[in-house]
């Protein structure tokens, strides 16, 4: 008998119109899978009871709550679709099919529009909660021509965590941790058009730090970072966005099929968001900026922000932009009210350049996507 093979595995996603219910329509890629994926299976909390009048064995075993660990997917970031699910706010700034150029913003929703939030009036469809989606993970029937596929559907999915990494030898990678409510199985496999979009590469990146007085266009919602410093010697960076999702078990009718009669969580709600990251740069006149030959004149530099001297102000704003093919095809990560927690300046053994790893946190962030791709997987 033929065996099931991982090269015939597929992972798709689709936004849900009703929470934790399998949506009708077309599934798409979240990105290109690059490594082994960690796929969850239900963990069942069995409740064994010992009763009077029964011998040394359990008298009764009852099935208790079921839970799902996270699905972990390492992907090449070809489409920024994951940000649609990562933040509760989205704004379509431009949508011009005739030119193929579209601009989208993904951001928290709030009242602090000067610090990256989208106001309620700017949010498409007034979405003010994390969107849920169904994840389809399938193995193709190993028998040639057969259609009895092994398909697992995870409903009520929300993104727990995204870690974005980029170094000098790679494309932009995203490791996604997904929390789900309940799994079901099927033998019907979706057919999705292959994603052929070029990834975002290291050579596409520009890092600008220590901006201030950032402003937001009241009509489009686009933010402009004020007076940032561009760093041209960046070795790598990592961004981590944590939603701290909380599964909630509520008293519910036993007929609620997709929640397992109350055995599965009834809902997943977001906790406190955390945004952290690190950037490794090579120490040069831009990052140290010994202007005037005196440390006291350091202005908006790494060391100046560590010591809060020489005009350096905390917090600050920053952005990382990856321009893929043209100014009409980019993704821009903007961070607001940032602080530096660590930035050790070492003397390396090889007596070469001096790398400085800047560890930072941010109070707010947003993602701006400009797209000129016509691929079906680029729909937002």
């Amino acid at each position: 008998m033929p065996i099931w093979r991982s090269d015939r595995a597929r992972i798709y996603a689709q936004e849900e119109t009703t929470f934790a219910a399998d949506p009708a329509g077309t599934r798409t890629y979240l990105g290109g899978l690059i490594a082994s994926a960690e796929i969850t299976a239900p963990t069942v909390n069995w409740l064994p009871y010992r009763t009077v009048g029964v011998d040394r064995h359990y008298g009764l075993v009852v099935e208790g709550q079921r839970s799902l660990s996270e699905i972990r997917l390492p992907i090449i970031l070809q489409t920024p679709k994951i940000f649609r699910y990562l933040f509760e706010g989205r704004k379509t700034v431009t949508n011009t099919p005739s030119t193929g150029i579209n601009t989208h913003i993904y951001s928290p929703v709030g009242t602090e529009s000067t610090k990256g939030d989208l106001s309620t009036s700017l949010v498409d469809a007034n979405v003010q909660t994390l969107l849920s989606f169904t994840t389809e993970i399938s193995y193709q029937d190993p028998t040639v021509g057969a259609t009895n596929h092994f398909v697992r559907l995870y409903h009520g999915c929300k993104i727990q965590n995204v870690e974005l990494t980029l170094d000098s030898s790679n494309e932009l990678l995203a490791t996604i941790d997904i929390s789900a409510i309940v799994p079901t199985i099927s033998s019907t496999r979706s057919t999705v058009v292959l994603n052929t979009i070029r990834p975002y590469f290291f050579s596409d990146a520009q890092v600008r730090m220590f901006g201030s007085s950032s402003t937001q266009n009241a009509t489009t919602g686009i933010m402009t970072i004020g007076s940032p410093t561009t760093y041209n010697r960046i070795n790598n960076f990592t961004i981590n966005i944590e939603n701290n999702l909380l599964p909630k078990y509520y008293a519910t009718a036993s007929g609620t099929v997709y929640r397992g009669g109350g055995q599965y969580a009834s809902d997943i709600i977001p906790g406190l968001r955390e945004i952290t990251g690190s950037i490794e740069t090579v120490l040069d006149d831009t990052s140290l900026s010994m202007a005037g030959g005196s440390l006291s004149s350091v202005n908006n530099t790494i060391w100046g922000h560590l010591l809060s001297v020489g005009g350096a102000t905390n917090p600050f704003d920053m952005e990382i932009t990856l321009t893929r093919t043209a100014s009409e095809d980019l993704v821009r990560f903007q961070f607001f009210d940032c602080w530096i927690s660590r930035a050790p300046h070492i003397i390396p053994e090889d007596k070469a350049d001096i790398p400085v790893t800047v560890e930072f946190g941010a109070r707010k962030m947003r993602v701006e996507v400009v797209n000129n791709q016509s691929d079906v997987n680029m729909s937002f």
Side-chain angles (χ1 to χ4, degrees):
M1 299 246 343
I3 62 173
W4 301 81
R5 293 177 52 89
S6 62
D7 59 347
R8 294 172 177 259
R10 298 291 185 270
I11 299 179
Y12 307 135
Q14 186 179 352
E15 184 176 326
E16 295 173 344
T17 54
T18 301
F19 177 64
D22 192 8
T26 303
R27 306 207 199 281
T28 59
Y29 286 94
L30 280 174
L33 194 65
I34 61 168
S36 60
E38 297 178 20
I39 311 301
T40 183
T43 298
V44 183
N45 180 29
W46 288 96
L47 304 173
Y49 296 96
R50 297 190 182 277
T51 58
V52 175
V54 179
D55 57 17
R56 291 184 297 121
H57 303 288
Y58 289 115
L60 179 67
V61 179
V62 178
E63 185 179 353
Q65 285 186 344
R66 289 171 172 258
S67 61
L68 291 170
S69 58
E70 293 169 3
I71 302 170
R72 170 161 289 192
L73 303 180
I75 65 173
I76 300 171
L77 195 64
Q78 294 167 284
T79 71
K81 185 179 289 290
I82 61 172
F83 303 116
R84 181 179 177 86
Y85 304 124
L86 184 61
F87 298 108
E88 59 270 23
R90 64 185 188 274
K91 167 68 176 175
T92 300
V93 179
T94 58
N95 188 0
T96 314
S98 60
T99 62
I101 299 174
N102 307 289
T103 302
H104 304 268
I105 297 171
Y106 303 99
S107 166
V109 179
T111 58
E112 298 179 89
S113 59
T114 58
K115 282 301 180 183
D117 284 355
L118 282 169
S119 65
T120 303
S121 62
L122 285 175
V123 177
D124 294 343
N126 282 332
V127 176
Q128 296 185 51
T129 184
L130 293 180
L131 296 175
S132 66
F133 56 97
T134 287
T135 302
E136 176 183 316
I137 301 173
S138 66
Y139 301 127
Q140 185 177 348
D141 193 320
T143 302
V144 177
T147 59
N148 188 29
H149 310 301
F150 177 28
V151 181
R152 286 168 289 174
L153 300 171
Y154 293 88
H155 308 293
C157 292
K158 294 184 180 181
I159 291 184
Q160 171 74 270
N161 173 275
V162 171
E163 183 181 72
L164 301 165
T165 58
L166 185 66
D167 62 41
S168 58
S169 61
N170 283 309
E171 56 280 289
L172 182 61
L173 308 178
T175 300
I176 309 172
D177 291 333
I178 299 172
S179 294
I181 286 287
V182 66
T184 59
I185 61 172
S186 172
S187 61
T188 302
R189 192 186 203 201
S190 298
T191 301
V192 176
V193 177
L194 179 65
N195 193 339
T196 59
I197 298 172
R198 173 187 178 275
Y200 298 96
F201 285 98
F202 181 80
S203 57
D204 301 335
Q206 181 189 62
V207 177
R208 304 202 304 167
M209 300 174 65
F210 306 128
S212 61
S213 302
S214 299
T215 58
Q216 184 179 57
N217 185 298
T219 302
T220 65
I222 291 177
M223 294 288 298
T224 300
I225 305 293
S227 304
T229 300
T230 300
Y231 280 74
N232 295 317
R233 290 186 169 90
I234 300 296
N235 291 336
N236 58 67
F237 67 77
T238 298
I239 303 168
N240 193 283
I241 306 103
E242 175 69 55
N243 271 325
N244 285 310
L245 299 180
L246 305 169
K248 292 294 184 178
Y249 291 83
Y250 301 133
T252 182
S254 59
T256 308
V257 177
Y258 69 79
R259 292 171 183 155
Q263 291 174 314
Y264 288 102
S266 300
D267 199 0
I268 300 176
I269 63 174
L272 300 177
R273 181 179 285 120
E274 297 178 72
I275 303 164
T276 57
S278 65
I279 297 173
E280 184 182 285
T281 183
V282 172
L283 198 64
D284 64 4
D285 284 346
T286 301
S287 52
L288 189 57
S289 186
M290 295 290 286
S294 170
L295 186 61
S296 62
S297 62
V298 172
N299 182 29
N300 279 347
T301 63
I302 296 171
W303 194 249
H305 275 269
L306 280 171
L307 301 182
S308 297
V309 299
T313 56
N314 284 303
F316 58 89
D317 299 339
M318 60 179 285
E319 65 182 15
I320 300 174
T321 304
L322 290 94
T323 305
R324 185 158 46 186
T325 58
S327 59
E328 298 84 17
D329 187 16
L330 60 83
V331 58
R332 177 176 291 119
F333 306 101
Q334 294 181 319
F335 306 87
F336 306 97
D337 289 347
C338 303
W339 63 88
I340 295 177
S341 54
R342 292 185 73 245
H345 292 52
I346 66 172
I347 301 177
E349 185 178 358
D350 58 11
K351 304 299 187 279
D353 53 16
I354 300 174
V356 177
T357 299
V358 181
E359 298 178 13
F360 69 91
R363 195 170 68 90
K364 298 285 185 69
M365 76 167 289
R366 57 157 49 192
V367 181
E368 178 186 335
V369 180
V370 183
N371 158 48
N372 64 0
Q373 304 282 349
S374 60
D375 191 289
V376 65
N377 294 289
M378 288 298 288
S379 63
F380 298 100

